[in-house]
């Protein structure tokens, strides 16, 4: 396996989750202080800590082989790289926001207005689609203060929790784009590097699949087992073990996070007891 270089965000919204994901994949490294490069001691990988906006360029140019960044940044920069995996964290949206006191009457409100943004391409596409002519004020940071200093009438920026808008007296009025963290790769990786990437992706998928599922252990009257099987139809056959108490069995299975509560309610209603729910660390299917 050849060593690959992965670029992740140095600081900002995605940094912690990117580091956590790599650690959950078993990578041993220290991401301390102001270091820009970390070597993974137990996997052929080097980690570069970069500004997220620069990651697509570095991956396109082969300075890094792969990278983790927000899809919003990827689409805006229009570089020649490919998405290998959607990662499910860093969910946010690119939205238009206006000062809270403004009565927003719809997208036509933006006609002739000034909009501050770090995402001129995505914003232009959106305005063109709605046949709105507005002036785009491109700024690279602290977009949210533009209306209060008189630089713009509206902003087009990333909203995650919404607290940045709130503290700057703005309200979200139109969503342009949904985003999450993605893993990208360059277009000219060698076969040996692709092999290393596959190993990494295998681990990422095991970690992310496990996050969507819970392990369930419960006790159930043995004569109810057929009913349990209809409540858990999607699962491969659950494990059933007899309990010391006659007429009762212990059942082990995996439930998806999505229908977790409704399944638990149904299991309770047919007499399940002693239900234990355990998080799963890795899941290989
Ligand atoms: C975005 C945006 C806000 C913040 C919004 O920045 O510019 O500053 O996130 O998050 P909130 O709704 O939870 O308050 P981003 O993380 O994309 O950082 P960057 O533009 O500095 O890279
Ligand atoms: Zn950025």
């Amino acid at each position: 396996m050849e060593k690959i270089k992965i670029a992740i965000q140095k600081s900002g919204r995605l940094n912690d989750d990117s580091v956590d994901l790599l650690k959950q994949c078993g990578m041993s490294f220290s991401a301390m202080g102001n270091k820009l490069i970390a070597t993974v001691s137990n996997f052929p990988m080097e980690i570069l800590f970069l500004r997220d906006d620069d990651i697509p360029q570095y991956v396109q140019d082969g300075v890094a082989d792969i990278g983790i960044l927000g899809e919003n940044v990827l689409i805006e920069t229009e570089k020649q790289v490919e998405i290998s995996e959607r990662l499910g964290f860093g969910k946010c949206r690119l939205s238009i926001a206006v000062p809270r006191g403004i009565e927003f009457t719809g997208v036509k409100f933006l006609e002739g207005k000034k909009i501050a943004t770090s995402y001129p391409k995505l914003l232009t596409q959106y305005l063109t689609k709605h046949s709105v002519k507005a002036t785009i004020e491109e700024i690279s940071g602290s977009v949210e203060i533009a209306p209060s200093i008189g630089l713009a009438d509206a902003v087009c920026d990333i909203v995650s929790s919404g607290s940045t808008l709130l503290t700057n007296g703005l309200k979200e009025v139109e969503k342009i784009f949904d985003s999450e963290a993605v893993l990208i790769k360059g277009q000219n990786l060698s076969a040996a590097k692709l092999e290393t990437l596959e190993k990494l992706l295998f681990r990422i998928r095991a970690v992310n699949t496990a996050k969507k599922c819970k392990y369930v252990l419960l006790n159930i009257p043995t004569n109810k087992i057929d009913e349990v099987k209809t409540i858990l139809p999607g699962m491969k056959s659950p494990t059933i073990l007899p309990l010391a108490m006659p007429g009762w069995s212990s059942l082990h299975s995996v439930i998806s996070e999505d229908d977790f509560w409704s399944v638990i309610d149904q299991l309770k209603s047919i007499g399940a007891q002693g239900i234990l729910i355990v998080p799963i660390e890795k899941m290989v299917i």
Side-chain angles (χ1 to χ4, degrees), residues 76 94 115-128 136-139 156:
E76 180 65 29
L94 182 67
I115 310 170
T117 190
S118 310
Y119 297 87
K121 288 179 188 145
L122 282 163
L123 176 57
T124 302
Q125 276 172 22
Y126 173 81
L127 294 173
T128 307
I136 297 178
E137 199 65 52
E138 185 178 347
I139 42 181
C156 168

Side-chain angles (χ1 to χ4, degrees), residues 164-177:
T164 304
L165 291 187
L166 195 67
T167 49
N168 288 283
L170 301 171
K171 62 176 178 186
E172 186 179 2
V173 290
E174 291 279 320
K175 183 177 83 179
I176 293 185
F177 181 75

